[in-house]
Amino acid sequence: MIKSLLKLAAVLVVGILLYNYFMGSEAEKQQSKEIFQKVKDLGSDAWNLLRAEKDKLDEGKYDGALDQITDLLDDLKEKAEDIKDSDLIKRIAELESQKEDLERKMNASERPGNYDQQSRALSSNGSDPNEEIKRDWKNLIEETEKVMNEMTEK
């Protein structure tokens, strides 16, 4: 219901702006031009922000997160070996395997010319590789947190 009202309000605002832009008085035309310019500037700023984040990603801004997970898993493994809990050691080994798979996927998605491969993968199996990476990353973090919580209980 609210979604429909918001869509209707957006259509109404755009309609009024277009009407004022072409048929309104000089003041209304000027106001519409200013609003359109602000929307254009907002779109341009958003595009520049996305481009800057992509450049940071290409430069390795988020590589440190994988390094931190590696360090955390190493620490957890040492503590699990200290308390001699074979179940936790096995689960940490599985987490390390998941991290390595995630790292391979991330490296594969960053290769130049991989966009054609990604579009083929998207059309062949119906899932976006980047969404799969996000899902795997979230799963790895959640499972690591569970292991940490179990370890603090022991």
Side-chain angles (χ1 to χ4, degrees):
M1 177 73 179
I2 293 176
K3 190 176 181 182
S4 298
L5 289 174
L6 290 174
K7 286 181 183 179
L8 180 63
V11 169
L12 186 61
V13 168
V14 170
I16 291 171
L17 283 172
L18 288 172
Y19 178 81
N20 286 345
Y21 187 81
F22 293 109
M23 306 288 209
S25 67
E26 284 303 315
E28 291 171 337
K29 287 182 181 181
Q30 184 61 31
Q31 185 181 27
S32 294
K33 286 179 183 178
E34 288 175 13
I35 291 172
F36 283 129
Q37 184 62 41
K38 288 178 183 178
V39 169
K40 180 182 170 188
D41 291 343
L42 175 64
S44 175
D45 290 345
W47 182 255
N48 289 336
L49 173 67
L50 289 174
R51 195 175 320 146
E53 283 300 312
K54 166 119 177 45
D55 291 343
K56 289 178 186 177
L57 179 66
D58 291 343
E59 292 170 2
K61 174 183 177 184
Y62 300 105
D63 290 345
L66 278 174
D67 294 338
Q68 290 176 349
I69 284 287
T70 301
D71 294 343
L72 177 62
L73 290 175
D74 289 343
D75 290 344
L76 290 174
K77 189 175 185 177
E78 285 179 24
K79 290 177 183 175
E81 289 172 350
D82 288 346
I83 61 173
K84 295 180 175 61
D85 189 331
S86 61
D87 182 47
L88 284 175
I89 293 171
K90 182 180 174 185
R91 289 183 59 198
I92 293 169
E94 290 170 1
L95 289 173
E96 289 174 335
S97 176
Q98 287 178 6
K99 182 202 62 86
E100 290 168 3
D101 289 343
L102 179 62
E103 197 168 11
R104 277 192 293 275
K105 287 178 186 177
M106 289 175 68
N107 289 336
S109 71
E110 294 174 1
R111 286 189 201 125
N114 198 33
Y115 297 109
D116 290 334
Q117 292 174 359
Q118 285 182 354
S119 62
R120 274 184 260 150
L122 177 61
S123 62
S124 66
N125 66 11
S127 66
D128 182 359
N130 292 328
E131 289 300 319
E132 187 176 327
I133 289 172
K134 289 177 188 176
R135 185 181 62 245
D136 290 349
W137 181 256
K138 182 179 176 184
N139 185 35
L140 177 64
I141 297 297
E142 289 172 353
E143 291 300 317
T144 304
E145 185 177 359
K146 287 178 187 177
V147 169
M148 288 172 55
N149 288 337
E150 283 184 34
M151 195 170 278
T152 56
E153 290 175 3
K154 293 186 177 188

